[in-house]
Amino acid sequence: MDMLNQILSINNGGAYGGGKAGGAFDPLTFAMKPQVVIRALCWLFSVVVFGCISSEGWAEKEGKEYCLYNGDGLACKYGNMVGVFGFLASMGFMGGEFLFERMSSVKSRKRYVMADLGFSALWTFMYFVAFLYLWSQWSSSPPPPLGIGEGSMKTAIWFCLFSIATWALCALMAYKRFLIGAGDEFTSAFETDPANVVHQQAYGYAMDNDNDQYSASPFGQGQQQGGMEPQQQAGMEYQQPTY
């Protein structure tokens, strides 16, 4: 649980949990980012899935190719499709993490985070379907001739299961980034709203975010000045004008 909390701790002081734009690039720090590490695992697992299926997922029988997953060609094609697109998307999002720190526009970061959240959640579901589909067909399929391809088919199923966890983590980190960015936008909008500034001036207070102090009310100052006037008038003597 502590390791999971450390992975999800992604607030680096910038908008949407990223670093401030224009900072120096450190390759080691970038490689150790939780988003990059998890995305690299997604990339590796995707390579294993489509590599195992494409290399040994098909066999020949009576001059025709058939899928080792119970002869269901759609199962092999679906597993390959999920693995290939997961491989490409992982590379794209790793490049996006490199550019994320250099995005000076808050709207650009928001679009990237929303794209990351949507695709990661979708591919978590796609791998979940792939795991159930391939496992169901493999459990019903006869043993392959001479056992060729049996290990690869089982490996692809296991790595579909592992991919569910990694893509779900990517979606969770993107969701936390979105919450951080939404909170920053709400705070910024409240502090810069002209209506709130007018209300603060009308009621005679202004909040200092650093010292959390309040300025004195102008009504109190007016009352103090008004209270001094009778005493000053009492001390003054009336002088008759000379003609």
Side-chain angles (χ1 to χ4, degrees):
M1 185 62 68
D2 293 338
M3 182 178 296
L4 180 60
N5 292 333
Q6 186 177 1
I7 292 176
L8 296 178
S9 180
I10 57 177
N11 194 354
N12 296 326
Y16 285 91
K20 295 183 179 180
F25 176 72
D26 185 2
L28 182 59
T29 303
F30 174 77
M32 295 301 293
K33 286 180 60 176
Q35 292 89 347
V36 177
V37 173
I38 300 299
R39 196 69 69 181
L41 290 177
C42 292
W43 176 84
L44 177 62
F45 295 167
S46 297
V47 171
V48 173
V49 170
F50 81 78
C52 289
I53 297 176
S54 60
S55 62
E56 294 186 342
W58 299 88
E60 287 190 4
K61 183 178 181 180
E62 298 179 357
K64 296 181 179 180
E65 285 189 344
Y66 72 98
C67 178
L68 293 183
Y69 289 113
N70 200 25
D72 188 355
L74 184 59
C76 287
K77 293 177 181 178
Y78 181 80
N80 270 332
M81 183 270 295
V82 173
V84 169
F85 279 98
F87 164 78
L88 296 176
S90 298
M91 292 182 61
F93 281 115
M94 280 192 287
E97 287 297 328
F98 174 77
L99 298 175
F100 186 77
E101 304 292 339
R102 287 152 182 77
M103 295 179 185
S104 58
S105 173
V106 177
K107 291 184 178 180
S108 298
R109 288 193 175 191
K110 181 178 181 180
R111 295 190 188 100
Y112 174 81
V113 170
M114 293 182 67
D116 186 5
L117 174 60
F119 189 88
S120 298
L122 174 63
W123 233 243
T124 301
F125 175 75
M126 296 290 281
Y127 266 112
F128 177 73
V129 174
F131 169 72
L132 293 180
Y133 190 13
L134 299 182
W135 175 76
S136 175
Q137 294 292 23
W138 179 252
S139 62
S140 303
S141 62
L146 303 177
I148 300 175
E150 182 177 358
S152 296
M153 298 301 96
K154 292 180 179 180
T155 301
I157 295 173
W158 277 108
F159 275 86
C160 282
L161 179 62
F162 299 154
S163 296
I164 296 173
T166 54
W167 282 97
L169 271 177
C170 290
L172 187 59
M173 288 187 292
Y175 178 67
K176 186 170 182 180
R177 268 182 170 176
F178 180 77
L179 292 181
I180 293 173
D184 292 342
E185 286 184 352
F186 176 79
T187 303
S188 176
F190 180 81
E191 291 177 350
T192 58
D193 189 357
N196 293 327
V197 175
V198 171
H199 291 164
Q200 292 176 3
Q201 294 177 353
Y203 286 97
Y205 70 89
M207 181 178 291
D208 186 347
N209 293 329
D210 295 331
N211 300 324
D212 197 20
Q213 296 177 350
Y214 294 88
S215 62
S217 172
F219 298 108
Q221 296 177 359
Q223 293 175 357
Q224 292 177 359
Q225 294 175 0
M228 294 291 294
E229 290 178 358
Q231 297 177 0
Q232 294 177 357
Q233 292 178 358
M236 295 176 60
E237 296 181 357
Y238 176 78
Q239 295 182 359
Q240 184 178 1
T242 59
Y243 300 96

